[in-house]
Amino acid sequence: MSDFVTRSAYPMIPFDDAMEILSERIAPLAPHRVPLDDVLGLVLAKEVCAEGPQPSFAASTMDGYAVRADDSVQPRRVLGEQEAGQVLDITLQPGTCVRIMTGAPLPKGSDAVIPVEWTVERDGWMQTETPVEAGRNVRPVGADLAAGQRVLPAETVLGPAEIGLLASLGMVEPRVYPRPRVAVLATGDELAPQGQPLLPGQIRDSNSYILTSAIRTIGCTPQRMPRIADSREGLRDAILAAVAQADLVLTTGGVSMGTRDLIKPVLEELGDVHFGRVAIQPGKPLTYATVRGVPVLGLPGNPVSTLVGFEVVVRPVLRLMARLQARHRPERDVRLRHGIRHAPERLEFHRATVEYREGQWWATTTGSQSSSRLLSLVGANALLRIPQGVGNLAEGARVRAIMIQEPECEEPSCPD
Ligand code: AMP
Ligand code: MG
């Protein structure tokens, strides 16, 4: 039997120190070329310039008739039809016109387009009562992009508009910071496989599902590893297999002080442990190590600790690895609808719903904050940040709320 150790060898460090250690040690992944279909939400590594002008030919912006503006309202003979995607070999002489479609190149000799709604065509002749000036309804060469123009600066986050621009320039494999690949390793002797009856003392694994879905919400690729029992050899093999195929490894369970909590000793054996306890609630035994150059974050086994740990620690780390500058959820000052009991030793992330009523932001707790009670996160849109050193809070007290359903920004505060 192992000795029951009663004191942790790891100093308890403040949350901000833990985040600083992580951001000092973890770097963005090296950029590489990624197919355009797969770059949504990724960050562009190099600025993009237009090689040539867009459009590269003068094009009609209307369905109608390409004309010589000088002809004014005189009847014009229709020489043919100019559709988009081809170039007719026709030159307009005075008194002639060409039927033309939106996006089609302007035939030689024409300088304006009269919309079809303003015309009548009969027996090969077009008539109009509306004169147009030269250039009307024509998109000139370079109207959208000039040749050589910088289209997107480096570090642009690629959304539909940016991806459309890259496609219009024919850049089907831009250089971007790739999505981190994240391995998820749920550990614990008590975890029963889904779909099999529970034996006495067993529980279902919720953490690996929590993590794979949380990882997907930020567009990263999760890789669920087989569940692993609390044995040194098993954990060693599983962690080595995980670091060989991932940019970040997340483990759950086995980081506390029990005799079967073996993650920390195994990480010590395989690499370097940078911290092993953080003064937060939930999630105190949170552990950070590097194994073969790959960061490993050990999250405690309680499902709430796992998900809150993902939200406040893993998410910003993954966004950093993807070189996103926006890494902070917005925060706002809110007032408590009720008192909260709080032990001052740790920074608490209290699950709550925050809403705007009568000119104020108000927070309501989601009930029991037990680390095993996932219901405390269901429907929660905020984590109330109750700082270390603060005791119980009374109804009406002001606290800071981290808005966990709102997209990240570069600065944490948000306008009230
Ligand atoms: P540990 O961090 O291993 O001490 O586990 C803390 C608590 O979380 C224990 O009650 C475990 O049974 C529970 N737990 C550990 N892993 C999981 C998991 N994957 N899914 C749900 N609960 C878990
Ligand atoms: Mg355990």
Side-chain angles (χ1 to χ4, degrees):
M1 202 179 120
S2 353
D3 292 331
F4 197 40
V5 179
T6 53
R7 276 206 144 160
S8 172
Y10 297 92
M12 178 93 89
I13 64 169
F15 177 68
D16 290 346
D17 292 7
M19 294 312 286
E20 208 172 303
I21 292 172
L22 286 162
S23 58
E24 273 166 10
R25 303 195 74 97
I26 296 181
L29 301 177
H32 61 75
R33 293 198 177 279
V34 172
L36 204 49
D37 263 335
D38 219 21
V39 299
L40 181 65
L42 299 186
V43 175
L44 196 61
K46 247 183 94 199
E47 70 170 15
V48 168
C49 298
E51 268 182 28
Q54 267 195 27
S56 58
F57 52 87
S60 174
T61 64
M62 291 285 197
D63 296 322
Y65 292 86
V67 298
R68 301 169 66 106
D70 279 354
D71 287 343
S72 190
V73 294
Q74 66 166 293
R76 293 149 160 118
R77 195 157 57 79
V78 181
L79 300 180
E81 185 166 293
Q82 171 68 69
E83 280 147 25
Q86 47 158 294
V87 179
L88 276 193
D89 188 17
I90 287 183
T91 304
L92 267 70
Q93 304 301 330
T96 65
C97 67
V98 164
R99 223 178 284 123
I100 192 165
M101 307 303 142
T102 305
L106 227 60
K108 277 187 236 121
S110 64
D111 57 10
V113 171
I114 304 181
V116 66
E117 296 86 342
W118 300 352
T119 65
V120 176
E121 184 183 332
R122 198 173 301 126
D123 301 330
W125 288 80
M126 185 275 278
Q127 298 210 28
T128 185
E129 291 173 0
T130 318
V132 286
E133 70 281 15
R136 190 73 187 271
N137 301 320
V138 175
R139 200 157 47 111
V141 171
D144 293 341
L145 295 178
Q149 181 183 339
R150 190 177 74 168
V151 178
L152 298 171
E155 311 268 307
T156 299
V157 181
L158 298 174
E162 293 77 15
I163 292 170
L165 266 173
L166 294 173
S168 78
L169 297 170
M171 298 193 58
V172 290
E173 280 211 335
R175 267 181 91 74
V176 294
Y177 294 94
R179 273 171 230 286
R181 299 163 303 162
V182 193
V184 172
L185 196 59
T187 76
D189 288 332
E190 69 276 40
L191 303 181
Q194 293 289 352
Q196 285 187 21
L198 288 180
L199 299 176
Q202 286 191 327
I203 60 162
R204 303 272 182 221
D205 157 35
S206 19
N207 291 345
S208 68
Y209 294 89
I210 290 174
L211 290 177
T212 51
S213 47
I215 290 162
R216 286 196 185 96
T217 63
I218 41 175
C220 292
T221 319
Q223 177 119 30
R224 186 190 283 114
M225 311 286 290
R227 282 171 208 94
I228 191 95
D230 298 311
S231 88
R232 271 184 186 261
E233 298 67 39
L235 289 172
R236 203 181 288 138
D237 292 349
I239 290 171
L240 287 177
V243 297
Q245 62 188 73
D247 302 306
L248 176 72
V249 175
L250 301 178
T251 66
T252 72
V255 281
S256 321
M257 296 284 292
T259 53
R260 304 286 281 173
D261 286 330
L262 299 169
I263 293 283
K264 284 180 167 101
V266 167
L267 289 173
E268 291 278 10
E269 195 186 311
L270 299 177
D272 299 312
V273 175
H274 311 297
F275 59 75
R277 284 198 305 162
V278 184
I280 53 174
Q281 165 69 31
K284 178 180 69 166
L286 188 102
T287 298
Y288 164 44
T290 308
V291 175
R292 303 201 169 161
V294 175
V296 180
L297 285 167
L299 298 164
N302 269 312
V304 172
S305 314
T306 293
L307 186 47
V308 171
F310 183 89
E311 174 59 41
V312 299
V313 175
V314 182
R315 227 182 129 95
V317 163
L318 284 174
R319 293 179 71 86
L320 180 153
M321 292 174 88
R323 210 180 175 99
L324 289 156
Q325 299 300 333
R327 297 202 283 270
H328 300 277
R329 296 284 201 185
E331 291 185 10
R332 34 174 75 96
D333 288 323
V334 301
R335 296 190 68 191
L336 295 178
R337 281 212 185 278
H338 44 73
I340 284 182
R341 297 172 65 79
H342 176 242
E345 301 85 63
R346 296 194 244 160
L347 161 65
E348 180 183 348
F349 297 107
H350 190 106
R351 284 78 75 199
T353 51
V354 163
E355 58 181 352
Y356 194 71
R357 281 270 171 89
E358 295 129 27
Q360 291 240 30
W361 290 94
W362 290 97
T364 309
T365 181
T366 53
S368 161
Q369 300 285 300
S370 157
S371 296
S372 56
R373 187 175 167 265
L374 260 184
L375 271 179
S376 72
L377 271 161
V378 172
N381 66 350
L383 296 175
L384 307 181
R385 181 198 282 277
I386 307 179
Q388 235 177 323
V390 167
N392 294 342
L393 291 166
E395 178 187 334
R398 289 178 191 281
V399 293
R400 219 57 194 144
I402 307 169
M403 304 305 298
I404 57 174
Q405 305 287 358
E406 295 178 20
E408 275 93 346
C409 37
E410 291 188 26
E411 294 296 328
S413 24
C414 67
D416 283 314

